[in-house]
């Protein structure tokens, strides 16, 4: 490669920037298959690869790199060596595999290396030759073994039929223990008593400005019930009538066939009295679920929550946003002492316990009683609702805890201790000593059963693919998954590239309810299949959309993946590499090794036998990490 390369003369930053922004808002499916940190835009790396390989001029004119960007290059002689073989690319810090995958799609022969075994495992998954039908069959084999029993762990009672319904998220709150020697009171560590909301607010069909024939008053006739607690107690706040509706407007709910009571005079209004020009519309209404701190009951507020609310059942008055936790401290609910959560855990001599207090659930039984479902508002929120945990719900958790105690030694659960480091210190100071301390009993039981079933898969490539989906799910499981009530979804464990310790958490349903929840295992498998499928028919972002591109297909990809330090590439022959393309970690960047221990300790339980060189150690090796650890 003695001629001047395109990248040595210029690089189309202006054209690439909007493509990179577009892609980072929605990464390509192949890069969503696994959890890795600091993902880079593949558009940038495709351009770097082409710019480094292609000559600066073509037919006497400067090469148009953006025109080349949208071409397939599998048979391009410009990307080949003098002997006709593909140019050889090395990424010695391959991380999540962006360079490797983009180079393979362009037809390069690729060597990727990383010191981190989880990175090695991820890139193997992104580049493996997997038959999609065979993977679906392997997934079904796992489903046949454990799906039903995992779903049974996450059941509650349907409010309509009393049959079993599926929990999407289980809500837990950490309990602080007062360090005062004469108190030792227990406080639920809520940061807010607002516990649920539907993202984008609740959409309700209605007829606007209906005029009552009895009192001449006007109101919105809502033909869908506005509720997220299946018709639980509801208080009214400001702007309760809905967005874009007058502040002084009133409303009333009634099924169209049954009529409605006027909110002014209570006279019945029937659909036959609707004006001929009346048009059904849809409006958005803010509805939020709250927990009564005095009883644990759930109720909801329609509209803006007042500064002071009075719980409907108990009559207890409280400020919803004035909960005990402020930053890393809490106020004891019994003696009023202010203390740090870390101090409480240290005095406790172990991690503070969590209490199961509620859930977000879905019922499949609406058709059993359609009229009753309409009356309690289930269809309005797609048959989902927030509810407080009952004695029966708590008993189910206790049953899971008892089963875990009986079967723990037969499940492939991590036994590794948490080593005090830069990021893991956040766990250690809260008295977490083992990685399993970070999970509730029900979730440990479910994850152990699922991992055992995956490990039984005899086909290596299929087992590893299912483990890849499991690894992705792990980032959304444990007592480190906070809950973003404004978006109604869990916050993944490593979202901030460190180990946060939320005091109110959401326990993900391990197998998952179809179409609900964030990244349960079943959804992660679907995501994995989409990633593999994407490689068979790729497209690239353009300003207004995506443009199909004919790239090299996975069945002809040629790659060598190494789990080794970038200082130890002796297995790569001298003079064998044409291009070194990488995005090396920076000295003060993410502590990749510590963060990847989160999933490594689980993968180790299965892969230590199959890949002893890569997954034989108890935790990821860190002695040769390029990242500085100032712990």
């Amino acid at each position: 490669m003695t001629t001047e390369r395109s990248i040595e003369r210029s690089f189309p930053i202006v054209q690439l920037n909007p493509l990179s922004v577009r892609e980072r808002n929605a990464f390509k499916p192949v890069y969503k298959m696994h959890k890795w940190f600091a993902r880079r835009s593949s558009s940038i790396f495709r351009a770097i690869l082409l710019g480094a390989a292609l000559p600066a001029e073509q037919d006497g004119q400067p090469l148009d790199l953006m025109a080349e960007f949208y071409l397939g290059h599998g048979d391009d002689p410009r990307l080949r060596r003098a002997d006709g073989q593909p140019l050889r690319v090395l990424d010695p810090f391959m991380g999540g595999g962006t360079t490797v995958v983009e180079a393979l799609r362009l037809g390069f022969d690729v060597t990727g290396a990383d010191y981190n075994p989880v990175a090695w495992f991820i890139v193997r998954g992104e580049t493996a030759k997997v038959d999609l039908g065979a993977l679906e069959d392997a997934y079904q084999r796992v489903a046949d073994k454990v799906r039903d029993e995992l779903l049974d762990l996450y059941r509650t009672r349907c409010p309509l039929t009393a049959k079993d319904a599926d929990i999407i998220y289980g809500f837990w709150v950490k309990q602080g223990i007062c360090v005062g020697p004469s108190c030792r009171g227990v406080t639920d560590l809520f940061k807010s008593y607002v516990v649920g909301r539907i993202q984008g607010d609740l959409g309700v069909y209605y007829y606007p400005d209906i005029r009552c024939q009895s009192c001449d008053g006007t109101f919105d006739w809502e033909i869908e019930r506005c509720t997220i607690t299946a018709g639980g107690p509801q208080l009214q706040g400001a702007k309760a009538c809905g967005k874009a509706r007058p502040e002084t407007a009133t409303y009333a709910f009634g099924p169209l066939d049954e009529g409605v009571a006027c909110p002014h005079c209570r006279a019945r209004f029937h659909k036959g009295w609707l004006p001929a020009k009346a048009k059904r519309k849809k409006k958005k209404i803010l509805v939020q679920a709250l927990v009564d701190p005095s009883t644990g009951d759930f109720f909801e507020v329609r509209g803006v929550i007042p500064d002071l609310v009075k719980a409907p059942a108990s009559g207890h008055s409280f400020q919803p946003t004035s909960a005990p936790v402020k930053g890393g401290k809490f106020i004891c609910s019994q003696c009023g002492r202010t203390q740090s959560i870390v101090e409480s855990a240290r005095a406790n001599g172990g991690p503070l316990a969590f209490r199961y207090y509620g859930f977000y659930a879905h019922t499949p039984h609406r058709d059993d009683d359609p009229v009753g479902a309409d009356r309690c508002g289930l269809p309005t929120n797609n048959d989902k609702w927030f509810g407080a945990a009952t004695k029966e719900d708590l008993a189910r958790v206790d049953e899971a805890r008892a089963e875990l105690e009986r079967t723990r030694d037969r499940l492939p659960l991590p036994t590794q201790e948490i080593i005090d480091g830069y990021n893991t210190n956040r766990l250690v100071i809260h008295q977490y000593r083992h990685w399993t301390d970070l999970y509730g009993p029900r979730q440990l039981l479910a994850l152990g059963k699922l991992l055992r079933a995956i490990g039984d898969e005899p086909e290596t490539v299929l087992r590893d693919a299912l483990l890849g989906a499991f690894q992705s799910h792990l980032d959304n499981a444990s007592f480190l998954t906070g809950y973003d009530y404004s978006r109604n979804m869990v916050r993944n464990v490593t979202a901030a590239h460190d180990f946060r310790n939320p005091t109110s958490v959401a326990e993900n349903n391990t197998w998952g309810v179809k179409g609900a929840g964030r990244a349960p295992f079943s959804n992660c498998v679907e995501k994995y299949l989409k990633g593999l499928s994407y490689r068979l028919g790729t497209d690239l972002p353009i300003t207004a959309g995506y443009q199909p591109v004919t790239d090299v297909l996975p069945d002809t990809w040629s790659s060598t993946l190494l789990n080794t330090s970038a200082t130890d590439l002796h297995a790569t022959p001298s003079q064998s590499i044409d291009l070194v393309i990488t995005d090396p970690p920076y000295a003060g960047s993410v502590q990749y090794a510590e963060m990847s221990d989160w999933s490594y300790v689980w993968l180790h339980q299965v892969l230590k036998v199959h890949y002893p060189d890569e997954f034989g150690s108890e935790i990821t090796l860190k002695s040769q990490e390029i990242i500085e650890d100032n712990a």
Side-chain angles (χ1 to χ4, degrees):
M1 301 181 69
T2 57
T3 60
E4 185 182 17
R5 303 291 99 189
S6 175
I7 201 171
E8 295 177 282
R9 183 172 294 186
S10 65
F11 193 70
I13 296 175
V14 173
Q15 295 94 323
L16 285 169
N17 186 61
L19 305 187
S20 178
V21 171
R22 182 185 182 92
E23 183 181 353
R24 287 190 62 81
N25 287 333
F27 279 110
K28 296 172 183 175
V30 67
Y31 302 116
K32 295 180 181 179
M33 292 162 57
H34 306 85
K35 171 60 187 179
W36 188 248
F37 318 98
R39 287 283 189 183
R40 305 306 184 197
S41 166
S42 63
S43 300
I44 300 298
F45 277 86
R46 182 183 181 92
I48 291 173
L49 285 158
L50 289 171
L54 295 173
E57 294 187 356
Q58 183 75 32
D59 299 326
Q61 299 294 322
L63 184 116
D64 185 347
L65 189 60
M66 289 310 298
E68 299 285 349
F69 186 87
Y70 292 105
L71 299 178
H73 293 274
D75 56 356
D76 191 336
R78 298 172 298 172
L79 302 189
R80 293 184 176 269
R81 307 180 112 204
D83 60 3
Q85 295 299 310
L87 289 176
R88 296 170 184 169
V89 174
L90 166 69
D91 185 349
F93 302 99
M94 65 181 175
T98 306
T99 301
V100 172
V101 172
E102 294 305 311
L104 290 172
R105 290 174 59 188
L106 290 169
F108 292 102
D109 191 334
V110 185
T111 297
D114 204 284
Y115 186 56
N116 191 309
V118 175
W120 173 83
F121 177 78
I122 286 173
V123 183
R124 275 175 57 91
E126 292 169 344
T127 60
K129 298 175 178 65
V130 184
D131 181 270
L132 297 183
L135 180 54
E136 289 175 340
D137 290 343
Y139 170 65
Q140 188 58 51
R141 287 192 289 273
V142 172
D144 291 342
K145 289 181 180 178
V146 297
R147 177 184 180 274
D148 289 345
E149 57 182 302
L150 296 191
L151 287 176
D152 282 342
L153 292 173
Y154 293 91
R155 302 287 195 198
T156 189
R157 288 296 178 195
C158 167
L160 184 66
T161 64
K163 297 179 181 178
D164 279 344
D166 297 295
I167 291 172
I168 301 168
Y169 299 133
F171 298 137
W172 298 71
V173 61
K174 183 177 283 190
Q175 295 187 294
I177 301 175
C178 184
V179 299
S182 61
C183 180
R184 305 297 290 169
V186 176
T187 301
D188 286 341
L189 301 184
F190 285 108
K191 290 186 176 180
S192 168
Y193 295 117
V194 182
V195 295
R197 176 184 170 183
I198 305 304
Q199 185 179 7
D201 300 329
L202 208 59
V204 173
Y205 283 108
Y206 75 110
Y207 288 92
D209 302 321
I210 295 300
R211 187 170 297 279
C212 177
Q213 294 189 0
S214 296
C215 70
D216 207 36
T218 60
F219 64 96
D220 286 356
W221 181 358
E222 297 176 0
I223 58 176
E224 291 183 306
R225 188 164 185 183
C226 178
T227 176
I228 58 174
T229 60
Q234 186 178 89
L235 303 180
Q236 178 175 303
K239 300 180 180 179
C241 199
K243 293 183 177 179
R245 299 299 294 149
E247 179 70 28
T248 57
T250 57
Y251 57 88
F253 160 72
L256 195 59
D257 291 335
E258 298 179 12
V260 63
C262 171
H264 304 289
C265 69
R266 308 310 299 169
R268 297 297 299 178
F269 188 96
H270 301 282
K271 68 176 180 178
W273 296 346
L274 281 172
K277 295 183 179 180
K279 291 185 179 180
R280 187 185 74 168
K281 295 184 177 182
K282 194 169 189 176
K283 61 182 176 180
K284 292 289 188 178
I285 304 172
L286 173 61
V287 186
Q288 299 176 80
L290 285 72
V291 59
D292 180 346
S294 69
T295 63
D297 294 331
F298 277 26
F299 64 96
E300 56 192 10
V301 174
R302 173 173 169 150
V304 179
I305 299 175
D307 292 337
L308 184 68
V309 299
K310 185 176 182 180
S314 68
H316 175 64
S317 295
F318 65 99
Q319 295 176 301
T321 58
S322 293
V325 175
K326 302 294 182 185
K329 296 183 178 181
F330 73 95
I331 300 172
C332 176
S333 60
Q334 296 187 30
C335 73
R337 179 187 182 121
T338 298
Q339 59 213 278
S340 75
I341 299 172
V342 168
E343 181 186 11
S344 177
R346 186 185 305 118
N348 186 51
L352 296 174
F354 279 84
R355 180 178 71 84
Y356 185 48
Y357 72 91
F359 55 80
Y360 185 55
H362 171 269
T363 177
H365 305 301
R366 185 215 296 183
D367 292 342
D368 292 359
D369 184 4
V371 174
D374 288 340
R375 287 174 178 164
C376 67
L378 284 170
T380 314
N381 190 30
N382 299 312
D383 306 321
K384 302 167 189 171
W385 82 100
F386 293 91
T390 65
K391 290 182 179 180
E392 183 179 4
D393 294 318
L394 298 176
R396 287 176 181 263
V397 173
D398 287 339
E399 290 170 5
R401 181 180 289 106
E403 183 180 355
L404 177 65
E405 292 175 357
R406 293 193 305 270
T407 63
R408 188 173 190 129
D409 60 348
R410 300 194 296 275
L411 296 174
L413 300 176
T415 59
Q416 296 95 319
E417 294 184 2
I418 300 172
I419 305 302
D420 194 355
Y422 180 81
N423 280 325
T424 50
N425 177 257
R426 284 198 172 199
L427 306 177
V428 172
I429 62 175
H430 285 273
Q431 304 303 306
Y432 293 111
R433 294 292 178 254
H434 294 83
W435 289 99
T436 49
D437 293 343
L438 296 159
Y439 298 83
R442 178 167 59 182
Q443 204 158 44
L444 275 181
L445 180 63
L447 290 171
K449 288 184 175 184
L450 176 57
L451 185 59
R452 182 174 61 188
I454 294 173
D456 289 341
E457 170 57 43
E459 293 293 329
T460 298
V461 70
L462 302 179
R463 178 202 65 222
D464 288 357
L466 293 172
L467 283 174
F470 182 83
Q471 187 260 355
S472 182
H473 166 65
L474 284 172
D475 196 42
N476 297 274
S478 80
F479 281 157
L480 298 188
T481 51
Y483 178 69
D484 184 349
Y485 84 90
S486 65
R487 302 173 64 195
N488 192 23
M489 64 190 301
V490 297
R491 292 191 186 95
N492 55 310
V493 174
T494 60
H497 295 169
D498 58 17
F499 293 120
R500 303 290 172 92
N501 276 272
T503 56
S504 298
V505 303
E507 177 190 7
N508 219 344
N509 182 322
T510 300
W511 189 269
V513 182
K514 187 173 181 59
R518 181 177 185 176
F521 175 72
S522 55
N523 286 10
C524 289
V525 172
E526 290 182 11
K527 185 169 59 175
Y528 208 95
L529 287 163
K530 287 179 182 177
L532 295 174
S533 299
Y534 172 83
R535 305 180 314 172
L536 302 175
T538 56
D539 52 25
L540 297 173
I542 57 178
T543 301
Y546 289 88
Q547 178 171 318
V549 175
T550 304
D551 279 337
V552 178
L553 298 180
D555 58 353
T556 61
W557 286 357
S558 176
S559 64
T560 301
L561 303 179
L562 306 172
N563 176 211
T564 188
S565 168
T567 62
D568 184 13
L569 296 174
H570 302 304
T572 304
S574 179
Q575 305 294 317
S576 67
I577 299 300
D578 301 300
L579 298 170
V580 179
I581 310 289
T582 192
D583 177 27
Y586 296 95
S589 186
V590 177
Q591 304 292 323
Y592 295 97
E594 288 186 15
M595 298 306 299
S596 61
D597 275 342
W598 180 258
S599 56
Y600 178 91
V601 296
W602 288 91
L603 297 175
H604 164 81
Q605 307 307 314
V606 173
L607 297 181
K608 60 187 176 183
V609 176
H610 305 287
Y611 306 121
D613 292 339
E614 294 81 11
F615 281 87
S617 64
E618 289 293 302
I619 57 173
T620 60
L621 300 178
K622 302 173 179 64
S623 60
Q624 296 185 56
E625 277 283 316
I626 197 172
I627 300 297
E628 295 176 354
D629 190 339
N630 297 318

